[in-house]
Amino acid sequence: MKYRVIGSNPATRREVSVLSLGSMLFGTVTDEATSFAILDRFVEAGGTFIDTSNNYAFWVNGTQGGESEELLGRWIRSRGIGDEITIATKLGARPNAPATGFSRDVEGLSAKTIRESAERSRERLGIERIHLLYAHIQDEKTPLEETVTGFAEVVADGVAGLLGASNHWAWRVEAARNLAKAAGLPGYEVLQHHHSYLRQRTDIPSLRSPDGNQGLVSADLLSYVRANPSLAQVAYSPLLSGAYVRDDKPLGPGFEHAGTPTRLQAVREVAEETGTSVNQVVLSWLIGGDIPILPLVGASSVEQLDDSLAAVDLDLTSEQRAKLDSVN
């Protein structure tokens, strides 16, 4: 395994594995025994970065979420896991009532919600401090100053350590960071967005925004991270839910543009050259790029996880990277 330090404050920064394990469906779609086996294998391989959220996975059984955090809590207790494993969770997108699909009626990012939801997540996880706490989605109804102050308060009280933002426009991240800096408060240091080798259109309106999908890594966001090297970028769904390697997993309308076929051809050629899977090439490309990305992968079996873990040891040559990067 390879590792990277995230965060700049010695009191809260963490050394994490370059591959993060997502536990979104643990405790619902993925049963407890299988979930525990995947988690055990991840730690055995040197993995130290596990991701969840307080709303995972409400849509499966029509709840408000919490199943993933609760399962992680049982695993942590049963295995005697301590501070050596970094646990990241999110708040802000938990539905206010049981739901089976997308809802605009979510908890948001008020100071009161941040306090109460962070405490509940900590209780479900059974840990002393949430190592990394994300604002899951943007909340444009709550003043940004209140959100910044609310997150700073849970850090000051020891409920959370590092702070992050997921599914946020770059300008909004910058605005929040500037407010925190001006007030001498901790700000966002980790970003989490959807990112992969294939490029998805960012101009298609999303369920949450008429301006496009703020959850996607865009050229603007990458430029922002490049200009702020202290920021860490986590990429969720880097393997596109299996679409790279499974014919029964369509890419979707966001990938319907001229660049998709040529980039697919390039990544398949590199996979053939290296004798590895396309998925492994994608993960290696993210990990070793000029902007180092921390891929966040899901797994429904130990075998799937092992395929992703093998990508950590795949070092693409400069020629292979040039081939991948030269395609529009």
Side-chain angles (χ1 to χ4, degrees):
M1 184 57 70
K2 298 173 184 176
Y3 301 90
R4 180 184 171 193
V5 174
I6 58 174
S8 57
N9 187 333
T12 57
R13 68 188 179 196
R14 306 284 299 179
E15 182 179 69
V16 298
S17 53
V18 296
L19 195 70
S20 178
L21 176 63
S23 61
M24 182 169 68
L25 298 179
F26 290 0
T28 51
V29 174
T30 306
D31 64 56
E32 184 152 322
T34 303
S35 300
F36 276 32
I38 293 168
L39 289 160
D40 289 344
R41 173 62 184 134
F42 184 65
V43 172
E44 178 189 18
T48 63
F49 196 8
I50 298 173
D51 183 272
T52 185
S53 174
N54 73 344
N55 70 339
Y56 292 162
F58 70 85
W59 56 92
V60 176
N61 296 318
T63 67
Q64 290 173 272
E67 295 91 343
S68 173
E69 288 182 333
E70 290 168 355
L71 181 138
L72 283 175
R74 293 192 294 274
W75 174 74
I76 288 169
R77 289 188 294 274
S78 69
R79 301 303 192 258
I81 297 296
D83 202 48
E84 72 277 8
I85 302 298
T86 295
I87 303 295
T89 193
K90 315 175 194 73
L91 57 81
R94 183 181 173 93
N96 288 322
T100 57
F102 173 76
S103 173
R104 295 187 184 277
D105 181 24
V106 296
E107 61 183 357
L109 297 172
S110 70
K112 181 176 183 292
T113 291
I114 292 169
R115 162 68 58 185
E116 293 176 352
S117 288
E119 289 281 10
R120 284 195 292 266
S121 286
R122 185 170 65 164
E123 291 173 3
R124 283 190 288 265
L125 290 164
I127 56 180
E128 182 177 345
R129 180 171 72 169
I130 299 167
H131 304 117
L132 170 56
L133 181 63
Y134 289 101
H136 199 164
I137 59 173
Q138 298 178 155
D139 177 4
E140 297 180 6
K141 296 179 181 178
T142 300
L144 196 53
E145 295 87 349
E146 180 181 346
T147 296
V148 169
T149 301
F151 274 114
E153 288 175 352
V154 295
V155 173
D157 291 346
V159 177
L162 283 168
L163 299 175
S166 179
N167 303 306
H168 279 55
W169 297 119
W171 71 264
R172 198 164 178 87
V173 172
E174 175 68 357
R177 281 165 50 85
N178 283 339
L179 285 169
K181 183 177 180 180
L185 300 174
Y188 299 141
E189 295 190 81
V190 185
L191 307 182
Q192 187 182 125
H193 294 76
H194 176 38
H195 189 35
S196 187
Y197 177 64
L198 291 185
R199 294 170 175 164
Q200 188 167 348
R201 291 176 57 185
T202 59
D203 60 328
I204 298 176
S206 69
L207 290 171
R208 298 192 184 276
S209 171
D211 299 321
N213 193 337
Q214 71 269 38
L216 297 176
V217 163
S218 62
D220 178 62
L221 187 66
L222 287 176
S223 177
Y224 178 67
V225 174
R226 183 180 284 107
N228 294 272
S230 64
L231 285 173
Q233 178 69 62
V234 175
Y236 68 78
S237 300
L239 303 180
L240 307 180
S241 301
Y244 281 107
V245 295
R246 291 178 54 177
D247 293 335
D248 63 328
K249 294 283 187 175
L251 286 169
F255 296 96
E256 293 177 358
H257 57 83
T260 296
T262 54
R263 287 180 82 82
L264 271 176
Q265 180 179 347
V267 74
R268 287 166 177 167
E269 288 177 356
V270 172
E272 186 174 353
E273 289 175 12
T274 57
T276 60
S277 69
V278 170
N279 283 348
Q280 289 165 0
V281 172
V282 170
L283 295 177
S284 178
W285 176 79
L286 288 167
I287 293 169
D290 65 319
I291 301 175
I293 305 292
L294 297 160
L296 168 59
V297 298
S300 59
S301 68
V302 171
E303 291 73 22
Q304 279 188 350
L305 176 62
D306 281 339
D307 188 73
S308 294
L309 287 168
V312 176
D313 295 322
L314 173 60
D315 294 319
L316 300 175
T317 66
S318 57
E319 292 79 13
Q320 288 164 345
R321 285 197 169 274
K323 175 184 287 189
L324 294 170
D325 292 337
S326 64
V327 181
N328 292 326

